[in-house]
Amino acid sequence: EVQLVESGGGLVQPGGSLRLSCAASGFTFSAYWMHWVRQVPGKGLVWVSRISGDGSSATSADSVKGRFTISRDSARNTLYLQMNSLRAEDTGVYFCARGGNSRETAGDNWLDPWGQGTLVTVSS
Amino acid sequence: DIVMTQSPDSLGVSLGERATMNCKSSQSLLYSSNKKNYLAWYQQKPGQPPKLLIYWASTRESGVPDRFSGSGSGTDFTLTISSLQAEDVAVYYCQQYYNTPRTFGQGTKVEIK
């Protein structure tokens, strides 16, 4: 069974840092694009960042560029999101989600499955 | 960035009746080389992560009931629930994967009337 489990969320002060993790199982982790998506409780979905299967290509939303870094460790089957210089508007539930197979012609595509999410609250 | 706009924001439908919701993109999601529309639909129930329903605008994900169907091409897309069941109460999101940044619609909340 394909499974994604996020951890690392919590309460942090503005300007602080946090590292989120997403443990993957049930599939060949190194073959797939992986994504982070944020959701303010009760609000919509906002895409944050993605990284290719081999980690050679990464893209982030303008709102987090220079502050957040996505990375992955294929030996540990784990995706990370390093979040620095956190702001109140970064508050939300962060989901990791699997994208497309990097080794297939279609490349990255829809997001499936999604983890249960981890809550990040930026507040003084 | 591609802007995704869903309508309506909320929808009240009687059990067994049809629910129809729309998604419009600010630019075409049809890739000319393969004639595929780079659009997905997700269902999110309270307290749960989103679940993939439809990809390539009209291909139903394995295990998704056939009362869910997607249609449309280019910039205009529709998700239809042919006969609403109680378990279909949720927020539905469209998302484009034509380019980055990936973008989502604001969601359509489906309730029982």
Side-chain angles (χ1 to χ4, degrees):
Chain A
E1 178 196 5
V2 175
Q3 194 171 15
L4 300 171
V5 179
E6 302 93 336
S7 61
L11 175 63
V12 60
Q13 292 188 338
S17 297
L18 213 53
R19 188 177 82 157
L20 307 184
S21 299
C22 169
S25 60
F27 64 101
T28 305
F29 180 68
S30 61
Y32 285 83
W33 288 85
M34 295 296 296
H35 296 246
W36 288 101
V37 177
R38 177 177 68 238
Q39 184 173 39
V40 174
K43 301 295 184 184
L45 301 165
V46 176
W47 178 81
V48 174
S49 190
R50 74 166 184 173
I51 187 168
S52 61
D54 63 1
S56 63
S57 177
T59 314
S60 294
D62 286 346
S63 60
V64 306
K65 274 179 186 171
R67 301 189 299 122
F68 290 11
T69 301
I70 189 171
S71 63
R72 63 194 300 160
D73 184 339
S74 289
R76 290 183 164 81
N77 283 353
T78 302
L79 173 73
Y80 301 102
L81 187 67
Q82 178 66 44
M83 311 166 69
N84 299 329
S85 303
L86 281 160
R87 306 168 179 166
E89 55 264 34
D90 297 320
T91 293
V93 175
Y94 284 73
F95 297 101
C96 64
R98 188 181 71 172
N101 191 317
S102 296
R103 301 170 185 174
E104 292 181 356
T105 305
D108 197 16
N109 38 56
W110 52 87
L111 303 179
D112 178 60
W114 298 55
Q116 288 294 321
T118 187
L119 177 62
V120 172
T121 303
V122 184
S123 174
S124 55
Chain B
D1 298 2
I2 298 176
V3 177
M4 306 297 291
T5 304
Q6 292 183 240
S7 62
D9 289 333
S10 64
L11 189 57
V13 177
S14 300
L15 288 172
E17 295 301 305
R18 178 184 299 265
T20 301
M21 63 202 82
N22 301 299
C23 174
K24 188 174 185 66
S25 57
S26 61
Q27 67 182 72
S28 178
L29 304 183
L30 179 62
Y31 197 49
S32 56
S33 64
N34 60 10
K35 299 293 188 285
K36 290 182 180 288
N37 287 281
Y38 283 55
L39 181 105
W41 287 96
Y42 302 89
Q43 175 194 64
Q44 188 177 31
K45 297 180 180 180
Q48 295 184 18
K51 172 191 170 185
L52 176 70
L53 294 177
I54 303 280
Y55 55 93
W56 297 133
S58 61
T59 301
R60 199 179 304 115
E61 170 70 339
S62 175
V64 172
D66 61 7
R67 63 180 180 272
F68 290 92
S69 64
S71 63
S73 184
T75 61
D76 293 279
F77 303 91
T78 299
L79 176 69
T80 301
I81 309 173
S82 61
S83 175
L84 190 75
Q85 305 301 303
E87 61 264 33
D88 301 334
V89 169
V91 179
Y92 293 84
Y93 294 95
C94 60
Q95 180 230 338
Q96 64 82 16
Y97 49 96
Y98 188 89
N99 63 14
T100 55
R102 299 289 195 252
T103 46
F104 295 85
Q106 80 277 16
T108 292
K109 186 174 185 179
V110 174
E111 300 171 310
I112 305 295
K113 186 162 66 176

